[in-house]
Amino acid sequence: MCGIVGYVGKRNAYPILIKGLHRLEYRGYDSAGVALLNPQGTLHIYKAKGKVADLEAVAKGKDTTGTIGIAHTRWATHGEPNEINAHPHYSESEQLAIIHNGIIENYAVLKQGLMQHGYSFKSETDTEVLIQLIEYTKNKDRLELKQAVQLALSQVIGAYAIAILDKAHPDTLIAARKGSPLVVGVGKDEYFLGSDASPIVEYTDKVIYLEDEEIVVLTQGKEPEITTIDNVPKTPEVKTLELTISQLEKGGYPHFMLKEIFEQPHTIADAMRGRVNTEMEKIRIAGFIDNKERFMNAKRIIITACGTSWHAGLVGMYAIEEFAEIPVEVEYSSEFRYRKPVIHPDDIVIAISQSGETADTLAAIQMAKAKGAFIFSICNVIGSSIPRLSDSGCYTHVGPEIGVASTKAFTAQVCVLIMLAMLIGRAKETLSAERYRALVHELERIPDKISTVLKQNERIQDIAKEFRYALNCLYLGRGYNYPIALEGALKLKEISYIHAEGYPAAEMKHGPIALISQAMPVVVIAPRCSTYEKILSNIQEIKARKGRVLAIVTEGDEEVSKISDFVMTIPETEECLTPLLSVILLQLLAYHIAVVKGCDVDQPRNLAKSVTVE
Ligand code: G6P
């Protein structure tokens, strides 16, 4: 979703801003723009529909000087993606320029009021309304820009991260946030601004995370000045980034997605590091230890998440119910937040989010918290909004995930949920000591088993060629692998634009069986597990109707392999851990189908990595 970059210092801002925009491309966007202010107070804005490279082409040969600037990648909400709607936006007098992430919900009312005061609008955006409101407020009461921003923001309903330039102050940048993240990078005599740390990391590892309703004034040569919208001064808390530049680069892989798929033996090990101890035959998760009684006494666990994280939640449901015998409900955050859910004090709400910024999940936990629920979050981005709002939690520690289609974050989320389920189960003694120990040892073997699975990469590339012309695809699984059928179908949809559906295998009879033909490949996840015989029958049903089956089986399998058209294998493991292996094959399958179809794997059309609007 939209990305923000800013710079205040002595260097030429343009190359820093453009590089920053490239770093943010992974978030998904459809237009881009930059505003540059030079010490004489000349402000230049360049914008383009399309990619950052299109913006560079527009700015080529033009005046790109200026030691202060703001830049933006836009993911359209109000108004189609075009040059006019792209940010930055000028105010009426062209004295001010703004970039904005988020949505101003009451923009229509504000716009009407401003039109009555003679303001006109060039774009269809809510952002232009905001900068006009700021200018109107500033001029009406002859205020300083900061005061005008504070007053204007106090009238705004919605979410925002904004950065503003003023021709009258060519050494100062003002930024503010509510509901959309904003990070200030603190360099030597210079400041950087980012909607996340990726545009900042190559210049400094010192950052300040702005809190909701805070405004920062960044002036070259001065300390950052932070206040709330109500003008209460705040002391900036400078933190050290853990992010490194190499984590943001492809490291020889053609796409971030492939790099991230291949990182999984390491990222799963990282998610378990310091947590799984095979010598002691124990698991340790600090967020669990601190709240052990609460978990043991929980009457219900509600998992809330979106997209791929929601699928991880489903796997978690199977594990928590099996090991801890606690009823689990898995909710789409967007539905949960608008229902009137009954939440008891002994319920636990687990929020799962790679980015830690997904607007619906954030709102869902705000609602659950207000109703007295205890919030435990499983997130990847350290210091992001969801973990900060939670009572406790556990990071997945997979490093930055750049590919829009989530891969390594998913497997780590599943791994953390299984560890958590084991811990609750052991504490409640619903999971026997013997089984617990066996699972601890098997968890430790998972990274190597993922490496084994990855060896099928070339074969999957060949299978992908067979599937490239499919218009529809069905994914079937049962038990722990039903969520993997959903996830496999989502991966294919996201990056290859082939329509795909995931289904519980036995449900096929209640509808999708009508679609079976040679033209629609059916992917069946059929490892040796408790429902093996059942799924074998499901495959027979498909074959009887001349369907083409790609099966995922356990190494050494004969029965399913014999009747399937294509076979991929996973090593033998505990049933609850099979998703960690089967999903890798489906990630690779989706990846190779997308590549062979010529799709933009890392930045699929219309999708955003971090969905910060509802
Ligand atoms: C977007 C991303 C998905 C992700 C979902 C939830 O749709 O493209 O990959 O699963 O948001 O994001 P979260 O950061 O909350 O896990």
Side-chain angles (χ1 to χ4, degrees):
M1 211 142 268
C2 307
I4 280 180
V5 196
Y7 177 76
V8 184
K10 289 182 179 158
R11 300 194 233 186
N12 193 6
Y14 180 70
I16 295 170
L17 297 172
I18 291 293
K19 199 163 192 186
L21 289 185
H22 280 300
R23 292 262 184 241
L24 289 172
E25 285 191 295
Y26 79 96
R27 292 165 72 98
Y29 70 105
D30 38 51
S31 53
V34 59
L36 298 154
L37 186 54
N38 66 28
Q40 292 73 44
T42 314
L43 183 61
H44 291 292
I45 291 185
Y46 305 112
K47 310 202 267 192
K49 181 184 172 184
K51 297 287 181 189
V52 176
D54 299 309
L55 171 66
E56 287 177 271
V58 166
K60 199 166 177 197
K62 310 232 170 76
D63 184 353
T64 55
T65 57
T67 51
I68 174 165
I70 52 180
H72 192 258
T73 47
R74 172 175 186 255
W75 189 86
T77 57
H78 295 70
E80 65 171 281
N82 60 27
E83 196 190 318
I84 294 174
N85 289 331
H87 304 200
H89 291 285
Y90 277 121
S91 61
E92 185 84 7
S93 68
E94 302 198 347
Q95 185 73 23
L96 310 176
I98 190 172
I99 52 175
H100 165 222
N101 289 359
I103 289 181
I104 308 300
E105 287 171 14
N106 57 338
Y107 83 105
V109 181
L110 296 170
K111 189 171 180 174
Q112 229 171 15
L114 286 161
M115 283 165 89
Q116 279 162 10
H117 289 106
Y119 279 74
S120 59
F121 294 84
K122 296 186 181 74
S123 77
E124 299 157 87
T125 64
D126 51 343
T127 306
E128 193 184 7
V129 176
L130 181 56
I131 195 65
Q132 304 280 45
L133 179 67
I134 292 169
E135 180 165 285
Y136 168 72
T137 313
K138 183 172 180 279
N139 293 346
K140 183 167 81 71
D141 297 328
R142 294 173 187 276
L143 300 175
E144 283 297 315
L145 179 61
K146 188 183 106 179
Q147 287 173 299
V149 172
Q150 286 171 324
L151 260 182
L153 290 180
S154 64
Q155 295 171 55
V156 152
I157 299 171
Y160 53 79
I162 54 169
I164 298 170
L165 295 181
D166 181 355
K167 277 186 193 172
H169 297 283
D171 58 349
T172 300
L173 186 161
I174 292 189
R177 74 156 270 183
K178 183 185 171 195
S180 270
L182 214 43
V183 191
V184 176
V186 184
K188 205 171 171 300
D189 262 351
E190 59 187 352
Y191 295 110
F192 305 85
L193 190 72
S195 39
D196 64 39
S198 55
I200 296 175
V201 65
E202 56 202 284
Y203 307 104
T204 175
D205 64 351
K206 299 282 171 274
V207 292
I208 301 166
Y209 293 99
L210 278 199
E211 298 289 339
D212 268 352
E213 306 206 344
E214 282 184 355
I215 297 190
V216 64
V217 180
L218 300 171
T219 307
Q220 208 264 309
K222 289 194 188 162
E223 289 295 304
E225 182 197 321
I226 301 182
T227 55
T228 64
I229 286 176
D230 303 330
N231 207 28
V232 179
K234 292 290 202 80
T235 313
E237 198 186 326
V238 180
K239 299 200 167 148
T240 304
L241 275 182
E242 286 180 18
L243 193 68
T244 63
I245 267 293
S246 65
Q247 289 176 312
L248 299 176
E249 293 179 342
K250 287 187 198 148
Y253 285 92
H255 298 100
F256 280 109
M257 183 179 177
L258 191 63
K259 175 187 173 221
E260 287 159 5
I261 293 173
F262 272 85
E263 275 174 357
Q264 288 175 104
H266 305 289
T267 51
I268 282 288
D270 289 342
M272 293 194 279
R273 195 174 315 277
R275 292 172 177 158
V276 174
N277 185 331
T278 38
E279 256 168 54
M280 309 265 293
E281 299 187 311
K282 267 195 174 153
I283 290 175
R284 194 184 166 281
I285 291 181
F288 171 79
I289 297 170
D290 299 343
N291 301 287
K292 189 170 167 182
E293 298 293 316
R294 195 183 279 275
F295 274 103
M296 286 173 70
N297 297 323
K299 293 275 182 299
R300 183 174 62 152
I301 291 179
I302 300 166
I303 297 178
T304 184
C306 303
T308 287
S309 298
W310 185 80
H311 294 155
L314 288 178
V315 181
M317 173 179 78
Y318 282 86
I320 295 169
E321 292 193 342
E322 180 181 354
F323 301 146
E325 296 181 9
I326 300 172
V328 180
E329 288 164 22
V330 186
E331 306 276 357
Y332 286 115
S333 302
S334 53
E335 288 298 314
F336 185 52
R337 63 179 287 195
Y338 286 116
R339 288 219 323 265
K340 308 269 179 289
V342 180
I343 295 176
H344 302 289
D346 44 16
D347 286 340
I348 291 179
V349 172
I350 299 181
I352 309 174
S353 174
Q354 186 285 127
S355 62
E357 301 293 349
T358 301
D360 280 320
T361 305
L362 194 58
I365 63 172
Q366 274 161 341
M367 178 272 285
K369 208 172 177 178
K371 286 177 179 268
F374 175 81
I375 315 287
F376 186 91
S377 60
I378 299 173
C379 294
N380 189 41
V381 179
I382 295 169
S384 53
S385 303
I386 292 172
R388 282 196 288 155
L389 201 80
S390 303
D391 298 299
S392 182
C394 178
Y395 283 112
T396 45
H397 292 305
V398 301
E401 188 179 65
I402 309 287
V404 163
S406 183
T407 52
K408 61 177 181 174
F410 174 78
T411 42
Q413 290 165 344
V414 168
C415 183
V416 166
L417 282 160
I418 289 172
M419 290 192 286
L420 189 63
M422 288 166 61
L423 280 170
I424 313 171
R426 194 59 217 117
K428 288 181 67 183
E429 299 193 358
T430 44
L431 176 65
S432 74
E434 198 189 349
R435 183 89 206 285
Y436 174 82
R437 280 199 297 271
L439 283 165
V440 170
H441 285 290
E442 188 55 20
L443 268 174
E444 202 217 5
R445 292 181 203 115
I446 288 296
D448 283 346
K449 292 190 176 181
I450 294 179
S451 299
T452 308
V453 170
L454 288 168
K455 288 189 184 135
Q456 291 165 80
N457 185 40
E458 279 181 25
R459 242 178 56 68
I460 297 172
Q461 209 168 348
D462 293 337
I463 297 174
K465 288 178 193 146
E466 300 272 341
F467 280 33
R468 64 186 292 187
Y469 297 112
L471 298 177
N472 296 290
C473 206
L474 185 63
Y475 284 68
L476 302 176
R478 294 185 81 134
Y480 278 98
N481 281 295
Y482 158 53
I484 302 308
L486 299 180
E487 174 59 10
L490 178 65
K491 288 285 89 82
L492 190 68
K493 263 187 284 219
E494 283 180 315
I495 59 170
S496 75
Y497 317 135
I498 294 175
H499 172 249
E501 265 192 278
Y503 247 80
E507 275 291 307
M508 178 185 66
K509 288 190 283 298
H510 303 287
I513 199 163
L515 302 172
I516 303 279
S517 78
Q518 275 193 322
M520 184 182 71
V522 185
V523 179
V524 189
I525 312 162
R528 273 240 164 255
C529 62
S530 52
T531 51
Y532 180 78
E533 300 300 333
K534 310 273 177 211
I535 217 157
L536 184 61
S537 312
N538 298 138
I539 297 175
Q540 305 276 19
E541 289 156 10
I542 302 165
K543 290 309 297 176
R545 286 157 187 86
K546 301 205 171 8
R548 278 198 310 161
V549 172
L550 164 56
I552 295 181
V553 298
T554 308
E555 284 169 2
D557 173 275
E558 285 180 2
E559 286 171 274
V560 168
S561 307
K562 218 164 43 202
I563 55 170
S564 302
D565 302 83
F566 307 94
V567 173
M568 306 189 284
T569 61
I570 60 170
E572 182 84 50
T573 188
E574 291 276 351
E575 186 163 346
C576 66
L577 300 177
T578 53
L580 292 172
L581 305 179
S582 55
V583 78
I584 310 275
L585 296 166
L586 298 184
Q587 294 167 351
L588 283 172
L589 181 68
Y591 171 79
H592 287 301
I593 294 176
V595 169
V596 82
K597 287 189 72 183
C599 301
D600 186 347
V601 174
D602 284 332
Q603 291 164 42
R605 69 180 180 215
N606 304 339
L607 293 182
K609 181 72 189 157
S610 175
V611 180
T612 48
V613 297
E614 64 170 290

